[in-house]
Amino acid sequence: MSALQAVKRFRIRELGATALPSPALAKTKSYPSSASSSRNKVPVASIENPFIPKLNSKTGRWAPPKYSLRQQALLVKKARESGTLALLPPGPKISIVEIAAAASGQAVVSGPSASVKSQVQNAAAPWTRPIEWTGEVKEKKVLGAEVGNRLYAGKKRMFKGHKWQRTAEKREKRRALLMRSMPKRIKEFKQYYKRRRPHPLKPPRTAKNAKLPF
């Protein structure tokens, strides 16, 4: 499925119940043009934002979004590829600022320099008509996102690292200290067992009153 088809299916799925605007769910919004005022009125459907949770007024419980975060991220990716980012509602994966910037960019492209054929096709497509997405989108403010460094933003010190990294210097000092006297330590170790068992091939000597450990 192409990127444009994915966005188109999303819009048609959400506009299915409000394909024909009703007095309760639709209103008119005028756009300045040289044509008559009756032709400039475009119905704006009011649809609940499927990218955010919904509060049930009867039970007081929150229902999860209609589309999961993975589905939202995939839709945003497809919309960026097809240049239809302004047709998506705001949510956790796309902010209102991004949608406004995409809409302004499309407005510049669809100006006098665009072809008449593309303008007619866009106007005739019912799934591209404007929608008013209801619901409050709470954008999470991420520290350091504006400068492109979110890892250490708002932190007093750098990442503490793994334990083996923090104790590496201490272990290196201890290892160097032990290696400095290693020949002497090896000699003492061998002499210790030579004193205990001067003849290793002979059976070991046992005490007369040896007892079992249990």
Side-chain angles (χ1 to χ4, degrees):
M1 184 189 300
S2 64
L4 184 60
Q5 287 295 325
V7 179
K8 182 178 179 180
R9 285 186 60 181
F10 165 76
R11 295 277 297 194
I12 292 175
R13 189 183 301 114
E14 296 303 318
L15 281 168
T18 57
L20 296 176
S22 60
L25 296 176
K27 59 182 180 180
T28 58
K29 184 178 180 181
S30 61
Y31 294 89
S33 177
S34 58
S36 62
S37 60
S38 60
R39 295 180 180 179
N40 289 339
K41 293 183 178 180
V42 180
V44 180
S46 179
I47 304 176
E48 292 181 354
N49 192 340
F51 285 0
I52 59 176
K54 177 186 175 182
L55 178 64
N56 192 330
S57 57
K58 295 182 179 179
T59 61
R61 295 177 178 270
W62 286 92
K66 186 177 179 180
Y67 297 86
S68 65
L69 293 178
R70 181 184 62 82
Q71 293 173 321
Q72 294 181 33
L74 187 60
L75 278 172
V76 171
K77 179 181 177 181
K78 297 289 186 182
R80 284 199 175 98
E81 292 177 1
S82 59
T84 56
L85 200 63
L87 299 179
L88 294 182
K93 298 298 181 181
I94 179 173
S95 62
I96 302 176
V97 179
E98 291 180 282
I99 295 177
S104 61
Q106 285 184 359
V108 172
V109 172
S110 61
S113 60
S115 62
V116 178
K117 183 179 179 181
S118 62
Q119 290 182 4
V120 172
Q121 290 178 350
N122 292 336
W127 57 275
T128 59
R129 66 191 185 97
I131 298 177
E132 182 183 356
W133 304 101
T134 60
E136 182 183 1
V137 180
K138 297 181 179 179
E139 297 183 8
K140 184 186 293 184
K141 186 177 180 181
V142 181
L143 296 175
E146 62 277 359
V147 296
N149 184 11
R150 300 182 297 177
L151 184 59
Y152 297 111
K155 296 183 180 179
K156 296 182 180 179
R157 63 175 184 175
M158 301 287 283
F159 176 59
K160 64 180 182 180
H162 298 281
K163 187 175 181 179
W164 67 268
Q165 293 174 331
R166 299 195 301 268
T167 59
E169 185 178 358
K170 184 178 179 180
R171 285 186 285 106
E172 288 291 339
K173 290 181 179 179
R174 175 174 171 77
R175 187 180 295 117
L177 182 64
L178 294 177
M179 291 301 295
R180 188 173 58 186
S181 59
M182 188 55 67
K184 182 180 177 182
R185 292 166 61 87
I186 294 175
K187 185 177 179 180
E188 291 178 354
F189 179 81
K190 290 181 177 180
Q191 290 297 328
Y192 172 76
Y193 282 97
K194 284 181 180 179
R195 289 194 301 267
R196 289 194 62 183
R197 295 190 65 182
H199 304 286
L201 298 179
K202 291 185 178 181
R205 294 177 297 176
T206 57
K208 294 181 179 180
N209 299 327
K211 296 182 179 180
L212 295 176
F214 53 85

